Amino acid sequence: MTNRTEEPTEPAPAPRDGVRSSSIVAAGILSSRIVGLVREAAFGAYFGTTEYADVFRAGLRMPNVLQVLLGEGTLSASFIPVYSELLHEGKKEEAGKTAGAIFGLLMLAAGVLSLIGILLAPLLVTVLAPGFAGERRTLTIEVVRIIFPMTGTLVLSAWALGILNSHRKFFLPYFAPVLWNVAIIATLVFFGRGMDLSDLVVALAWGALVGGFLQLLVQLPTVLKLERNLRISFSTRLASVRDVLRNTGPTVMGRGVVQVSSYIDMFLASLLAAGAVGIIGYAQTLYILPVSLFGMSVAAAELPELARKRSSPVEELRLRANSGLERIAFFVIPSFVAFILLGDAIVAALYQRGEFERQDTLLVYFTLAAFSIGLVASTGTRLFSSTFFALRDTKTPARFAIIRVVVAAILGMTLMIQFEPIPRLGIPAGIFSDVTLNGETLGAVGLAAGSGVAAWIEWILLRRRLKAAIGPVGAGGGKVARMIVSALLGAAAGWGVRYLIDVDPLIDAIFIFGAYGIVYFAAASILGLPEAVAVRNRLKRIVRR
């Protein structure tokens, strides 16, 4: 997000509607993520880094191709810009018919792909998790067959999100995943104590399926209330429907390549020591949190507005994009610093209980730190991509996504084998073979680091191309420097608190990150960062009342 050679020539004030919308999206995502963290804590307490954790992680990942190819990312690129523009132009009847046709086509595609996934589950496990054998393989096949229909419902849930976002209703669709998380937590609570782990992991898959239906159903009443012209069909006669489908092709290609990357990660992790798939899953849960809260929230809120400005002067689009990048950076930079310098406290607070021990905490922390190399880049590219989508250019993000995946695969494999051998392929460990954690190898760390570096390659390419299209884009080097200084001061405060208390991982984390957040906002306010100044002024008004 940083423009190191030049800052935007004009200030990029945050539009009030954009700030409010992104805040609402963030509130919905935060609700979902908090419950998701509770889910992860419960999951870690029961499964730790055992082979059953690998089974559920892999079982969720394989059918995820449906959600990735047809879900929120695809609809954000292809459907929302077209549908939002129709609403903006007052073509309500055509908008309703377009929404209905897209729903019908999505339902058909999701149904067919779900059936294929159920039938080909053994082949998928063989290809994508070749290191799984015996009970681990058998259970994974069973979990995949249950979860494939779940991802079909989540695709339709993403369609509902597209409708609601286009009508500027942001909270509900991002809050809806709370129900999915609650369904899984409820399954663990009701069945966890009396079941063997092999049976519990299957029960958990059924709980996830129920949660998928709940996530869709909770949004439908509001969708039907807002879109009274909805007509479900499979027709492609409307020009707007064909426009959506035309934009979908490059998007599916780009999203598909990203999905291939996640499968490559799972493939490689399955070749490592047992527990590596689970370790990467635990780390990714934390890594994705700021990406969702700050990158996705701003990108999702800005996309309909950017789409409405497609015919406006390019300058308006550029200033809106720069404002969004600055808001993202203000929250993501301290997240990056926290993960790198205090990440083990976060991991311990969330996971370290039951079967999850201190050594597991450190393994996940090192992997999280490696992923975090690309955190700032990953969040910034969310808004870059939304800007391209608003310009009806889905090919450029797709093309650069391919490059990112290739780089991630090559680097990930190269770095992974520096830490850990792959006996099944006859590959010995490289220069870091002696670097272990109490005998535990660190191949997962190398794999994550490759992903982090590749994120920056994509960021550089997207930013360069976007600059050519609309002018200089970035949060501004001076502002980013002040954010980094504020974050480092916050981290110093967190370490100071850490030396003073040692009670329980959760209580420790509350005090550590409480101090971190207070010092970060205070320093940022003193240094004149607009987001922090706005928070300070709001607090002053509250105190005066």
Side-chain angles (χ1 to χ4, degrees), residues 34 37-38 41-42 286 342-353 358 361 497-498 501-515:
I34 288 174
L37 292 176
V38 174
L286 288 169
L342 295 165
D344 62 320
I346 301 173
V347 176
L350 181 60
Y351 297 124
Q352 195 171 300
R353 60 187 57 83
R358 178 62 183 173
T361 291
V497 172
R498 187 171 194 167
I501 64 170
D502 183 12
V503 184
D504 173 83
L506 180 57
I507 296 174
D508 291 350
I510 291 172
F511 283 101
I512 290 169
F513 292 103

Side-chain angles (χ1 to χ4, degrees), residues 303-316:
L303 178 57
E305 305 306 325
L306 289 167
R308 290 180 172 94
K309 289 184 176 295
R310 187 168 70 100
S311 57
S312 302
V314 170
E315 185 67 13
E316 292 186 26

Side-chain angles (χ1 to χ4, degrees), residues 179-197:
L179 300 181
W180 183 79
N181 288 310
V182 167
I184 293 178
I185 294 169
T187 303
L188 286 170
V189 170
F190 285 110
F191 300 105
R193 294 184 179 179
M195 278 189 175
D196 293 334
L197 292 182

Side-chain angles (χ1 to χ4, degrees), residues 479-490:
K479 290 179 180 177
V480 168
R482 283 178 278 165
M483 294 172 194
I484 293 173
V485 169
S486 300
L488 291 175
L489 290 172

Side-chain angles (χ1 to χ4, degrees), residues 3 5-10 12 314-315 317-319 321-322 325 384 463-464 466-475:
N3 183 342
T5 58
E6 57 182 331
E7 295 192 25
T9 55
E10 294 87 1
V314 170
E315 185 67 13
L317 195 65
R318 183 176 73 85
L319 290 177
N322 285 338
L325 289 168
F384 287 160
R463 179 183 171 275
R464 183 178 300 168
L466 192 57
K467 179 181 178 181
I470 66 174
V473 288

Side-chain angles (χ1 to χ4, degrees), residues 117-186:
I118 291 170
L119 295 175
L120 298 183
L123 178 61
L124 286 174
V125 174
T126 298
V127 172
L128 300 175
F132 285 17
E135 184 186 28
R136 189 158 62 145
R137 169 184 161 78
T138 302
L139 285 173
T140 304
I141 292 171
E142 187 172 359
V143 168
V144 167
R145 284 175 166 161
I146 297 168
I147 290 181
F148 248 108
M150 178 208 77
T151 53
T153 65
L154 295 182
V155 166
L156 299 179
S157 178
W159 168 86
L161 179 148
I163 299 289
L164 294 172
N165 279 9
S166 298
H167 284 272
R168 296 189 174 101
K169 301 295 182 182
F170 294 104
F171 182 75
L172 177 60
Y174 291 101
F175 176 82
V178 166
L179 300 181
W180 183 79
N181 288 310
V182 167
I184 293 178
I185 294 169

